Amino acid sequence: MTRLNRPQFQQLGIIGCGLIGGSFALALKRAGLVKRVVGYSKSPSTTEVAKKLGVIDVAAESALLAVSGSDLVLVAVPVSATEATLRAIRHLVQIQPQTLFMDVGSTKADVAIAAQKVLGDLASQFVPAHPIAGKEKAGVQNADALLFQGKQVVLTPLPENSAAEVQRAAGVWAALGCKVLKMTPENHDAAYAAVSHFPHLLSFAYFQSVMRQPSGREFMELAGMSFRDFTRIAGSDPAIWRDILLANRDEVLHQSQRFRSVLDRLEHWLKEGDAGALETLLRQVSEARAKWTPAFTDPDDGTPSSHF
Amino acid sequence: MTRLNRPQFQQLGIIGCGLIGGSFALALKRAGLVKRVVGYSKSPSTTEVAKKLGVIDVAAESALLAVSGSDLVLVAVPVSATEATLRAIRHLVQIQPQTLFMDVGSTKADVAIAAQKVLGDLASQFVPAHPIAGKEKAGVQNADALLFQGKQVVLTPLPENSAAEVQRAAGVWAALGCKVLKMTPENHDAAYAAVSHFPHLLSFAYFQSVMRQPSGREFMELAGMSFRDFTRIAGSDPAIWRDILLANRDEVLHQSQRFRSVLDRLEHWLKEGDAGALETLLRQVSEARAKWTPAFTDPDDGTPSSHF
């Protein structure tokens, strides 16, 4: 078991040297789990910065070359690029049956479909993962060896994965200080649509509706703590959230339906002046919210995960 | 001008010895602006606690007795009780033409109507005020002499108020370290519906929709920082927010209409898979949010105003 919990790798291949990929490389180095890190990014300048910062040891000129000779590979690209990336490395997945592949996407059903479509049986080597960690400032320059410590990582194993392969993947994240959860891609997407993806959509929509109304700018100059906290996630990365919301749109739209029915009810009570019904709901929510505590807290509270 | 900025009062009468009324009393004492504080609360036990804590010097047995002999009176009751309170003290408003009356309600159009309806010409002595300050823990036991320091207070003068009377009211809050703003009751209610009241409704509605769905409880166990910040205001006081939302329902419903039209648009783009349109809006919002800063910050960031 110890061997599983403290896995050793000769070479880590990172495809996508961003905040998450870079932090993963630094974390594995810090934990002494890997001898060498080879990295590839779509933009050569990013790979260069990663090398200068010591995040990676070798800059690869292609995704395929980052995989070559690596016994651990992390695909850390935007979810919309996952399928193309898997296609680009498919050949070496076949040639390196001992290599463990993982991704870090915030949506998982789409990744499962892409993996099975592109890799087929080779998908047994690919264990989809979603580390619930990040920063509002993206980019390898913000990479942090402690980014994953004390955070949750969700594994959504494929039918092709052996129990041993899943355990091996779990061991990697556990060694970085993560709490490892396992669920189906469908349950993952439903859960995070509810507690993360949909509230991001709400916050973006709300901020836009205030910003775009006559006097909206003046109104915002009067806003304080409630507005600050309620709209913090509206400052998240547009490209990342475009991808997440589209990749998980069915679940997000399902959450929106549920939400609208509650909002309809509240508006009805306001129009009717039904103070009793209104207070009852507000009280139920207020009491439940007082009891709730976050699954994890960020070490630096100021910059919570922009992926979550 | 100095006299206006550092007003002196013989006796402060507090009607409603809660967090706000109690903090106002402590703040005036601390600033040395008042010699004696007389307090009344609907529940005698509350008044007793206020006296024990030294928030008030004398416990009055009625609102009228709290006004009697006071040259400054603060009506610090829930907005739904403002009209009845003014009715109860009307007689002494007439007899004490030098007394300055203020309230602290989070909605202002309803207060203006109640004042004119109940006080008529006597409304000249009543300057409606909304200090943007509070704590999530209500009650006189949480009263704080520094609650208003560095905060905004919005005055919404009545047509009956003389410029001198408004200036006198402004002087009191300025002496407590407040930034004093003046606007019409209508502008106040429109602005705070947009940046405070409606987001509270959204947060309550969202939390309820998650809590009440089949796997909602399990989902919430996975939630982290985004959920925490987005739903913080869903933990606010149900009675206070029932009153605020009902008192300002027209503006709140107006904000909801604007919000729904943006949400409709976003949902349409999700259904259509229109990544470009989606990203454009997300980017506009994200950039605008990054530029925004709060009008004020609470000294203890953990317990922002539940009235705002």
Side-chain angles (χ1 to χ4, degrees):
Chain A
M1 290 311 292
T2 313
R3 203 186 128 280
L4 287 176
N5 290 336
R6 301 274 315 166
Q8 289 294 335
F9 297 97
Q10 294 302 311
Q11 180 176 301
L12 165 67
I14 297 286
I15 302 173
C17 301
L19 172 67
I20 302 297
S23 297
F24 186 79
L26 290 176
L28 252 74
K29 285 185 174 192
R30 184 171 178 282
L33 304 182
V34 65
K35 296 214 174 93
R36 208 165 83 109
V37 178
V38 179
Y40 166 73
S41 278
K42 216 169 89 188
S43 121
S45 61
T46 303
T47 323
E48 264 322 298
V49 174
K51 190 154 180 294
K52 281 203 184 65
L53 294 171
V55 170
I56 63 173
D57 306 307
V58 180
E61 287 178 356
S62 70
L64 203 59
L65 288 171
V67 173
S68 177
S70 297
D71 45 358
L72 177 62
V73 172
L74 193 77
V75 177
V77 300
V79 282
S80 59
T82 303
E83 182 172 337
T85 304
L86 293 178
R87 217 175 277 290
I89 64 174
R90 188 188 181 294
H91 174 63
L92 278 181
V93 176
Q94 186 158 31
I95 290 174
Q96 298 176 189
Q98 294 316 309
T99 303
L100 168 62
F101 295 81
M102 294 189 286
D103 79 319
V104 296
S106 298
T107 53
K108 286 277 145 292
D110 60 326
V111 170
I113 290 162
Q116 286 165 320
K117 182 167 149 198
V118 175
L119 301 177
D121 297 347
L122 302 178
S124 60
Q125 291 163 249
F126 179 76
V127 181
H130 175 202
I132 313 299
K135 291 181 179 180
E136 272 165 2
K137 290 185 191 302
V140 69
Q141 63 278 10
N142 296 302
D144 174 0
L146 298 176
L147 185 65
F148 303 109
Q149 196 152 66
K151 305 292 170 52
Q152 292 180 324
V153 63
V154 180
L155 302 183
T156 58
L158 303 170
E160 293 81 359
N161 297 140
S162 66
E165 200 67 14
V166 174
Q167 191 55 36
R168 195 172 161 216
V172 174
W173 294 102
L176 302 186
C178 290
K179 180 186 171 199
V180 183
L181 309 174
K182 287 169 208 159
M183 53 182 95
T184 66
E186 294 69 28
N187 289 347
H188 169 282
D189 289 0
Y192 290 104
V195 300
S196 170
H197 305 167
F198 182 58
H200 276 77
L201 186 73
L202 281 180
S203 191
F204 278 116
Y206 165 71
F207 196 97
Q208 174 81 349
S209 78
V210 175
M211 183 168 83
R212 289 283 177 244
Q213 64 186 259
S215 313
R217 301 277 176 176
E218 295 90 302
F219 290 172
M220 282 198 281
E221 288 174 13
L222 299 169
M225 300 299 95
S226 304
F227 185 88
R228 181 199 63 179
D229 290 356
F230 190 76
T231 63
R232 180 181 61 75
I233 52 179
S236 302
D237 185 281
I240 288 172
W241 281 95
R242 171 205 62 204
D243 284 358
I244 292 173
L245 293 170
L246 284 170
N248 201 20
R249 61 180 155 191
D250 293 347
E251 290 295 343
V252 169
L253 291 168
H254 171 69
Q255 287 301 320
S256 193
Q257 268 183 9
R258 291 188 170 279
F259 165 78
R260 283 173 181 268
S261 73
V262 179
L263 186 59
D264 290 343
R265 206 153 74 242
L266 283 164
E267 289 192 358
H268 174 71
W269 292 336
L270 286 180
K271 287 170 188 158
E272 299 292 312
D274 191 337
L278 183 61
E279 183 177 358
T280 300
L281 186 149
L282 266 46
R283 190 167 301 280
Q284 289 167 353
V285 169
S286 180
E287 287 169 359
R289 177 58 176 76
K291 290 196 197 83
W292 177 85
T293 52
F296 62 88
T297 53
D298 268 314
D300 52 350
D301 226 11
T303 61
S305 171
S306 62
H307 297 255
F308 186 57
Chain B
M1 292 311 293
T2 312
R3 201 186 128 280
L4 285 178
N5 290 336
R6 300 276 314 168
Q8 289 294 337
F9 297 96
Q10 295 303 311
Q11 180 176 301
L12 165 67
I14 298 286
I15 303 174
C17 301
L19 171 67
I20 302 297
S23 298
F24 186 80
L26 290 176
L28 253 75
K29 285 184 172 193
R30 185 172 178 281
L33 304 182
V34 65
K35 296 215 173 96
R36 206 164 84 107
V37 177
V38 179
Y40 166 74
S41 278
K42 214 168 90 186
S43 123
S45 61
T46 302
T47 322
E48 263 322 297
V49 174
K51 189 153 180 291
K52 280 204 184 65
L53 293 172
V55 170
I56 63 174
D57 306 307
V58 180
E61 287 178 358
S62 71
L64 204 58
L65 288 171
V67 172
S68 178
S70 297
D71 46 357
L72 177 63
V73 171
L74 193 75
V75 177
V77 300
V79 282
S80 59
T82 304
E83 183 172 336
T85 304
L86 293 179
R87 215 173 280 288
I89 63 174
R90 189 190 182 291
H91 175 63
L92 279 179
V93 177
Q94 184 158 30
I95 289 175
Q96 298 175 190
Q98 294 318 309
T99 303
L100 169 63
F101 295 80
M102 294 190 285
D103 77 320
V104 296
S106 297
T107 54
K108 286 276 148 288
D110 59 326
V111 169
I113 290 163
Q116 286 165 319
K117 184 167 147 199
V118 176
L119 300 177
D121 296 349
L122 303 177
S124 60
Q125 292 163 250
F126 179 76
V127 181
H130 176 202
I132 313 300
K135 291 180 179 180
E136 273 165 3
K137 291 187 191 300
V140 69
Q141 62 279 13
N142 295 303
D144 174 358
L146 297 175
L147 185 65
F148 304 110
Q149 196 154 65
K151 304 293 168 53
Q152 294 181 322
V153 62
V154 180
L155 300 183
T156 57
L158 303 170
E160 291 82 359
N161 297 141
S162 66
E165 201 66 13
V166 173
Q167 190 55 37
R168 195 172 160 218
V172 174
W173 294 101
L176 302 184
C178 290
K179 181 185 170 199
V180 182
L181 308 174
K182 287 171 205 155
M183 52 183 95
T184 66
E186 294 68 28
N187 289 345
H188 169 280
D189 288 0
Y192 290 103
V195 300
S196 170
H197 305 168
F198 182 60
H200 275 77
L201 186 74
L202 282 180
S203 191
F204 278 116
Y206 164 71
F207 195 98
Q208 173 82 348
S209 78
V210 175
M211 182 168 84
R212 290 282 178 242
Q213 64 187 258
S215 307
R217 300 279 176 176
E218 295 90 300
F219 290 173
M220 283 198 279
E221 287 173 14
L222 299 169
M225 300 300 94
S226 304
F227 185 88
R228 180 198 63 181
D229 290 357
F230 189 76
T231 63
R232 179 181 60 76
I233 52 179
S236 301
D237 185 283
I240 289 172
W241 281 95
R242 170 205 62 204
D243 284 357
I244 292 173
L245 293 169
L246 283 171
N248 201 20
R249 63 181 156 191
D250 292 348
E251 290 295 343
V252 169
L253 291 168
H254 171 69
Q255 287 300 320
S256 192
Q257 268 184 7
R258 291 187 170 280
F259 165 79
R260 283 173 180 267
S261 74
V262 179
L263 186 60
D264 291 344
R265 206 154 75 243
L266 284 164
E267 290 191 357
H268 174 73
W269 292 336
L270 286 181
K271 287 170 188 158
E272 299 292 311
D274 190 337
L278 183 61
E279 184 178 357
T280 301
L281 186 147
L282 265 45
R283 190 168 301 282
Q284 291 167 350
V285 169
S286 179
E287 287 169 359
R289 177 57 178 77
K291 290 197 197 82
W292 177 85
T293 52
F296 62 88
T297 52
D298 269 314
D300 53 349
D301 226 13
T303 59
S305 171
S306 63
H307 297 257
F308 186 56

